[in-house]
Amino acid sequence: KKSANLSGPGEEVENLISMAKLSIEERNWNDANEISQKILTLDPENHIGFASLIKSMIGLNQFSDVREIVDALSAEIKESKPVVEALKSLEPSEKAFKAQENIQDLEKQLQNDPNNLGNLQEMAVALYGKGDIATSFDLLLKSIEKDKEWNDQAARKQLIEFFSSAGFDAIETINARRKLASLLFS
């Protein structure tokens, strides 16, 4: 029985990591948060557990709490690949969250001037913050289609930042990357 118990926690952590990954892919932030906390209860130094916790908190728009947690982490955990990857989405997500307050104003501005690339980009950021990732990506692609070089390729750069934030395996990212490739290489 002792040997079964010794392998038990490791297996349980692995199962929880799989569950957390799935919850994150489905953007089920509350479940991901809960599962991440269970991982860290069983393995307080688990880098993937911290990364999952950070991603879930960013998904729940708990930006200042993420910063507090990161400040308290050891250098080893803070600099681990999973945590560094998770933190890449902090700033773009926070910027997008703040931008969503202006959606109604941006909608009016875009109705008046649908070709204003600055407004198009702001709306894309706001929609990303609201969780409408596919539409956000579509607006950025539309902007690139209108003028690839506008504002030092701002739309392309924003799109790449959001790809990283949403995750390169996210269906929205995969679809938008295909469209971007055909825009850039046609």
Side-chain angles (χ1 to χ4, degrees):
K1 261 194 164 175
K2 276 188 181 180
S3 65
N5 285 343
L6 290 176
S7 68
E11 281 180 42
E12 188 175 352
V13 169
E14 289 304 312
N15 289 337
L16 287 169
I17 287 172
S18 296
M19 291 167 60
K21 185 178 181 204
L22 183 63
S23 293
I24 289 167
E25 284 173 12
E26 294 174 348
R27 295 185 179 85
N28 187 337
W29 304 122
N30 288 316
D31 283 0
N33 189 282
E34 207 173 291
I35 295 164
S36 301
Q37 289 181 36
K38 287 179 186 172
I39 293 167
L40 293 170
T41 299
L42 294 169
D43 183 359
E45 301 292 309
N46 191 295
H47 299 187
I48 297 171
F50 277 110
S52 299
L53 182 65
I54 289 166
K55 286 178 184 176
S56 70
M57 292 174 73
I58 290 170
L60 293 167
N61 304 315
Q62 298 171 343
F63 308 113
S64 58
D65 294 341
V66 169
R67 286 189 176 83
E68 284 179 28
I69 286 174
V70 171
D71 288 345
L73 292 176
S74 70
E76 181 190 341
I77 294 172
K78 197 184 302 188
E79 294 164 11
S80 71
K81 187 177 180 191
V83 171
V84 168
E85 285 296 312
L87 286 170
K88 282 183 181 176
S89 66
L90 179 60
E91 283 188 39
S93 297
E94 188 170 23
K95 180 172 100 177
F97 178 74
K98 289 177 181 172
Q100 69 178 326
E101 297 169 4
N102 304 324
I103 284 183
Q104 290 176 333
D105 292 339
L106 288 167
E107 283 173 345
K108 288 176 191 165
Q109 291 172 15
L110 279 170
Q111 283 172 354
N112 294 334
D113 185 4
N115 294 316
N116 183 312
L117 299 181
N119 289 343
L120 225 97
Q121 180 141 355
E122 283 183 53
M123 179 59 103
V125 171
L127 289 170
Y128 187 90
K130 198 174 142 190
D132 190 350
I133 295 168
T135 307
S136 169
F137 287 179
D138 286 344
L139 288 179
L140 289 168
L141 289 164
K142 182 178 175 183
S143 180
I144 293 167
E145 190 174 10
K146 287 178 185 287
D147 184 352
K148 291 176 189 160
E149 298 302 321
W150 177 79
N151 198 13
D152 195 26
Q153 300 185 3
R156 185 190 61 78
K157 290 175 182 173
Q158 184 63 70
L159 197 56
I160 302 298
E161 190 176 271
F162 282 166
F163 286 170
S164 178
S165 179
F168 287 101
D169 296 334
I171 190 72
E172 299 92 344
T173 302
I174 292 166
N175 292 337
R177 285 174 65 187
R178 278 192 204 114
K179 292 174 188 172
L180 177 63
S182 69
L183 276 176
L184 294 178
F185 302 112
S186 61

